[in-house]
Amino acid sequence: MHPDKWSKVFLLKFQGEITIMVAVEVFCFLSLLLFFGKLIRMALPILQRLYLPSSVIGGAVGLLILTLFGEYLPAGVISGMGKLPGFLINVIFAALFLGTVTPKLGQIFKMALPQLCMGQLLAWGQYAIGLGLAGFILAPLFGVHPAFGNLLEIGFEGGHGTVGGLAESFANNWPDGKDLGLTVATGGMIFGILLGMALINWALNRGIISSVRTFNDRAPAEKIGVYDAEKRPSAGKQTVFSDSIDSLAWHIAMIGISILLGYAMLKGLQYLEVTVLPDCKTRLFNGFPLFPLCMIGGVIIQLLFQKFNAGHLIDHGQMQRLSGASLDFLVVAAVATIKLSVVAQNWLPLVIMMAAGVLWSVLLTLYVAPKLFKQAWFECAIAEFGQGLGVTATGLMLLRTVDPESKTVAAASFGYKQLIHEPVMGGGLWTAFALTLVFSIGWMPVWIFSTAMLLVWVAISLVVCVKNRR
């Protein structure tokens, strides 16, 4: 073989080994951060009382390490960690509806319309407030990017995963947007937990709720987040015999196929856009993220399995564990890789926008929710409050605190509402489109549309409130 060919073969082999080693280093480093995050949470009662997830604590430890000693870490670790959330969010969204039997749309609206109204008011309000505040006030005063207002919904309702999924779009149009979005997501999760617990204590003192399990009511093992040996719940049911294929491998494969369908849809939309509009300079789908389409891919897989009476082969419990594990690794990587220099340059507009978003959520919870929900208004509202600030997991945690045995309609109502709400907001199709549209046509048209949609849901909510009075 010619010497040049030998050198090319050696170089490719060497690059492959470097890539594998970086992946190993990233995985090991994140595993250590999650491990120490859990240990720190177990050791410090204050963190247990605050209900802070171990992934956030571990991410904060990682952020401190990378800030102080980042230059001494192996090359590629930081960049590898930065890319991981963009992949893991595809896994989370692909698994969202796998293993669930989807009821008819009319049934969902009938059972969860007030809950859907609350969720939509929160989300569209975040766009109307965020884009309006950024476009009319923060941009003239502080010179922030036109897409700064998108960060309120992307960070609060979407969370770290949504920010990671939009990383490529940010990189191509506004590199600082990713770090600012992760900051909003981290702040939203913390505010959601702290203010959520404050609202729960307020409702408890007012006699609005009575089934609350306070921190002091919990067993010692529960306080540190460890199940008693005899009370360990199932992590999901195996649906196939392991001598044919391991059940976990089977479920991972379903997620992979869902992502593949989403990828095929994205490439098809990009090709169609170029074919139908060859002279158009604005390309919406060039910067469109993959993860909302992975969710659609998962729905297609689930519907196909149901169509052929094979829905029992996919267990939602296993899908939840795969999704939950992905979320923990996603959050710890996202928090650890925030660039504090970017946050420091924009701290004042960030504080103003986040404060406005928090105020919107509190006002809806205290003044709109009592009129919107006919029964268990606080339980239903606190779940939406948690999701509106700190993603679905925070909402469910707050709901379990006020309704630990699911005696009210809140859990079922929240679950049904998610089937319509999730595909659109909080990382859904509109979350992805809105950012792309701001980059391509500007913030004003997106703000006008968002405000119009907010008014539509205000009108629908008024109708629901009037019916509740009868």
Side-chain angles (χ1 to χ4, degrees):
M1 186 180 290
H2 194 274
D4 288 343
K5 292 184 178 180
W6 273 112
S7 62
K8 288 180 181 179
V9 170
F10 176 78
L11 181 60
L12 288 172
K13 185 176 183 297
F14 180 73
Q15 289 175 338
E17 291 176 350
I18 291 293
T19 303
I20 293 171
M21 284 306 300
V22 168
V24 170
E25 289 162 355
V26 168
F27 175 69
C28 293
F29 185 57
L30 293 179
S31 298
L32 280 173
L33 292 181
L34 282 173
F35 174 73
F36 285 115
K38 178 62 177 175
L39 289 184
I40 292 171
R41 191 182 189 278
M42 293 173 66
L44 298 179
I46 182 63
L47 297 179
Q48 299 164 23
R49 286 182 176 274
L50 294 177
Y51 297 97
L52 284 181
S54 300
S55 56
V56 174
I57 299 169
V61 173
L63 179 61
L64 180 64
I65 293 173
L66 294 183
T67 302
L68 297 177
F69 309 107
E71 57 184 307
Y72 302 108
L73 293 177
V77 170
I78 298 177
S79 61
M81 288 172 59
K83 294 175 182 177
L84 192 62
F87 166 72
L88 291 178
I89 189 62
N90 298 322
V91 175
I92 294 168
F93 270 74
L96 202 57
F97 297 116
L98 284 171
T100 61
V101 179
T102 307
K104 294 181 180 179
L105 200 60
Q107 183 183 0
I108 297 173
F109 271 106
K110 184 178 180 181
M111 295 187 64
L113 182 57
Q115 198 84 36
L116 182 62
C117 287
M118 183 75 174
Q120 292 289 305
L121 287 173
L122 274 167
W124 287 112
Q126 288 175 354
Y127 273 112
I129 292 170
L131 287 169
L133 190 62
F136 291 117
I137 299 175
L138 299 181
L141 285 179
F142 302 102
V144 299
H145 193 278
F148 190 87
N150 290 67
L151 299 180
L152 192 58
E153 197 272 349
I154 290 172
F156 272 11
E157 183 121 6
H160 298 86
T162 301
V163 177
L166 294 167
E168 185 176 350
S169 186
F170 279 126
N172 294 334
N173 299 279
W174 180 32
D176 289 349
K178 178 186 174 184
D179 296 290
L180 296 176
L182 292 175
T183 303
V184 174
T186 304
M189 182 177 289
I190 294 172
F191 283 132
I193 295 171
L194 297 182
L195 291 178
M197 295 307 298
L199 287 171
I200 289 172
N201 287 322
W202 170 84
L204 184 62
N205 292 332
R206 293 279 182 116
I208 298 171
I209 53 177
S210 58
S211 300
V212 175
R213 290 192 70 225
T214 64
F215 183 78
N216 293 328
D217 293 333
R218 299 169 186 259
E222 189 177 359
K223 290 179 180 179
I224 64 174
V226 177
Y227 283 110
D228 289 328
E230 64 276 7
K231 295 181 180 179
R232 291 174 182 172
S234 170
K237 296 181 179 179
Q238 298 188 59
T239 60
V240 292
F241 279 96
S242 58
D243 58 357
S244 62
I245 182 173
D246 184 82
S247 186
L248 192 61
W250 166 256
H251 285 77
I252 292 174
M254 293 303 101
I255 291 176
I257 295 172
S258 301
I259 295 174
L260 177 62
L261 288 176
Y263 181 77
M265 281 186 274
L266 180 59
K267 290 301 177 183
L269 289 169
Q270 291 173 345
Y271 175 79
L272 190 64
E273 187 178 39
V274 173
T275 304
V276 176
L277 302 169
D279 299 323
C280 184
K281 295 182 179 180
T282 302
R283 297 295 178 196
L284 293 178
F285 290 103
N286 275 356
F288 195 81
L290 176 60
F291 64 90
L293 300 177
C294 295
M295 174 180 61
I296 297 176
V299 171
I300 292 173
I301 293 294
Q302 180 63 29
L303 291 175
L304 285 174
F305 270 69
Q306 289 178 207
K307 178 73 174 177
F308 294 101
N309 296 319
H312 60 281
L313 294 178
I314 303 178
D315 177 61
H316 191 58
Q318 291 212 32
M319 288 299 176
Q320 285 182 309
R321 297 286 65 77
L322 290 169
S323 177
S326 299
L327 181 61
D328 277 336
F329 275 94
L330 183 156
V331 170
V332 73
V335 174
T337 53
I338 294 174
K339 294 179 182 177
L340 294 179
S341 59
V342 174
V343 178
Q345 293 171 5
N346 297 272
W347 72 269
L348 186 53
L350 274 176
V351 169
I352 294 172
M353 187 178 68
M354 290 171 68
V358 169
L359 181 61
W360 172 249
S361 299
V362 172
L363 290 176
L364 284 181
T365 301
L366 295 181
Y367 295 102
V368 176
K371 302 177 179 64
L372 191 60
F373 297 103
K374 202 167 185 177
Q375 53 181 318
W377 75 263
F378 187 82
E379 289 87 345
C380 293
I382 199 66
E384 294 303 327
F385 177 86
Q387 183 182 30
L389 288 181
V391 304
T392 305
T394 303
L396 290 174
M397 185 274 290
L398 294 176
L399 177 56
R400 282 196 295 268
T401 301
V402 297
D403 188 18
E405 298 179 10
S406 298
K407 292 181 178 180
T408 72
V409 300
S413 180
F414 183 77
Y416 276 117
K417 160 253 171 183
Q418 291 292 87
L419 298 174
I420 298 178
H421 184 80
E422 282 287 340
V424 181
M425 311 301 289
L429 293 171
W430 174 248
T431 303
F433 260 122
L435 185 65
T436 306
L437 288 171
V438 169
F439 286 144
S440 57
I441 65 176
W443 69 271
M444 181 65 81
V446 182
W447 176 75
I448 292 173
F449 178 78
S450 299
T451 304
M453 288 301 300
L454 175 61
L455 293 175
V456 167
W457 283 101
V458 167
I460 296 173
S461 300
L462 286 174
V463 173
V464 174
C465 291
V466 170
K467 285 185 177 181
N468 288 342
R469 291 180 182 176
R470 293 174 183 173

